Amino acid sequence: MTHRHRGWPAVTAPLLCWLPLLAGCGPSGPTTVPVSGSVSFAGQPVAEGEIQFRSADGTSASWAGPIEGGRYALRSTVGPKRVEIIAVRPKPGAKPKPSGEQVVNEMYIPARYNLESELTAEVTEAGPNQFDFSLQPARR
């Protein structure tokens, strides 16, 4: 027996239309500008990861985008930003388990570039908003 949810589109569709506006991404949301650059770790481009531009004072939304092949491009609001970079890779020496489970990954970017980020950027309306980040391994 098949159940039909006749009321679902009538109730849900209007709610879905409002989600972008509630998230600040709609036509009346904040003005954003292009931001791009490169990210390297220990002299090598970060193959895959994520970069976030958060308001330095923590009062507005953060803007995130993927890092691919050491490059990123996203949109952000203007102003001073705290930048956070996250990337994972297979843990050195980890091998796939016989059950076929994936190799264990590790977050190899030190906390001073993400959870305890020291990275900053000043995003301006005039641009060019090109920010390159050369990250180094944790100090021992």
Side-chain angles (χ1 to χ4, degrees), residues 47-71:
E48 292 181 36
E50 181 179 278
I51 187 166
Q52 288 189 347
F53 282 72
R54 298 180 176 270
S55 64
D57 61 7
T59 60
S60 64
S62 64
W63 304 89
I67 300 168
E68 296 173 342
R71 306 283 312 157

Side-chain angles (χ1 to χ4, degrees), residues 18 34 36 58 64 74 76 92 97 102 112 120 122 135 137:
W18 280 95
S36 62
L74 57 106
S76 174
K97 298 182 179 179
Q102 269 191 304
R112 72 175 189 263
T120 61
E122 182 69 36
L135 314 179

